């Protein structure tokens, strides 16, 4: 009888874990959305309201703001990495996939720029996250650029690393520069310059 109970227990535990992962993803999506609009110093109650959870739930998962920011950062790196192949498979062209991926990446960069302040007491952790960022995202962008090159849509001399750095530089401090500055417009100009 115990052997028969085990699969039910395992199934129940798996369902709970899957539910917990879904809830955590929803919380991280909500936090990312709030960080994009309000910055990484946004009140936790705003994130909780966006996620539809209590503040205790956030603090249980992420005891400090830095823990939450790092988790959002990792979550967004994963989302950008996973989006590349999906966009290549569904977009009307490789260049359309490139533009859609860059939009997603620019949203991510808005959160990333607040990371340095949130992690000022953990420079080694920040360095490790930056390495993760490059290790995961440069190959994804390289695949998209390769498909666009093969379709004759971008110039051959554009590297994924160079493009990631350029987009990062365009987005860096965009909110501090000048209200008339539009990072998205500048990114569009950059991508237009990469076209064949």
């Amino acid at each position: 009888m115990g052997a028969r109970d085990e699969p039910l227990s395992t199934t129940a535990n798996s369902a709970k874990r899957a539910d917990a992962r879904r809830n955590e993803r929803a919380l991280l999506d909500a936090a990312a959305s709030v960080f994009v609009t309000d910055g990484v110093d946004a009140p936790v109650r705003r994130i909780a309201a966006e996620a539809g959870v209590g503040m205790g739930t956030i603090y249980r998962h992420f005891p400090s703001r830095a823990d939450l920011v790092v988790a959002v950062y990792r979550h967004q790196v994963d989302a950008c990495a996973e989006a590349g192949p999906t966009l290549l498979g569904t977009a009307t062209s490789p260049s359309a996939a490139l533009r859609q991926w860059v939009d997603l990446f620019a949203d991510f960069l808005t959160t990333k720029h607040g990371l340095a302040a949130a992690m000022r007491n953990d420079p080694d952790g920040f360095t490790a996250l930056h390495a993760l960022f490059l290790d995961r995202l440069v190959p994804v962008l390289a695949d998209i650029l390769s498909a666009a090159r093969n379709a004759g849509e971008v110039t051959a001399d554009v590297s994924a690393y160079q493009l990631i750095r350029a987009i990062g530089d365009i987005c860096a401090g965009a909110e501090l520069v000048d209200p008339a500055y539009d990072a998205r417009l500048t990114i569009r100009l950059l991508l237009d310059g990469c076209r064949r």
Side-chain angles (χ1 to χ4, degrees), residues 21-33 62 68-82 104 108 129 132 136-137:
R21 282 191 302 272
R22 258 192 315 279
N23 289 342
E24 186 170 324
R25 273 195 305 271
L27 196 156
L28 292 172
D29 285 339
S33 174
F62 311 105
L68 177 60
V69 172
V70 167
V72 168
Y73 180 90
R74 287 180 176 277
H75 178 65
Q76 288 187 298
V77 167
D78 290 343
C80 282
E82 293 163 8
L104 182 66
F108 162 68
L129 284 175
L132 169 74
R136 293 287 314 274
L137 299 185

Side-chain angles (χ1 to χ4, degrees), residues 79-167:
C80 282
E82 293 163 8
T86 301
L87 290 171
L88 272 176
T90 59
T92 56
S93 69
S95 63
L98 174 63
R99 287 183 183 276
Q100 291 170 12
W101 190 87
V102 166
D103 281 344
L104 182 66
F105 179 62
D107 286 342
F108 162 68
L109 288 176
T110 304
T111 302
K112 178 184 180 291
H113 290 303
L115 182 67
M119 293 192 70
R120 74 178 124 254
N121 295 327
D122 185 10
D124 292 338
F126 182 79
T127 300
L129 284 175
H130 186 68
L132 169 74
F133 165 82
L134 293 176
D135 289 348
R136 293 287 314 274
L137 299 185
V138 170
V140 171
L141 183 54
D143 288 345
I144 296 171
L145 283 173
S146 178
R149 246 183 240 107
N150 291 340
E153 296 173 344
V154 298
T155 60
D157 60 349
V158 177
S159 77
Y161 179 75
Q162 195 63 42
L163 191 53
I164 277 181
R165 289 295 308 260
I167 294 166

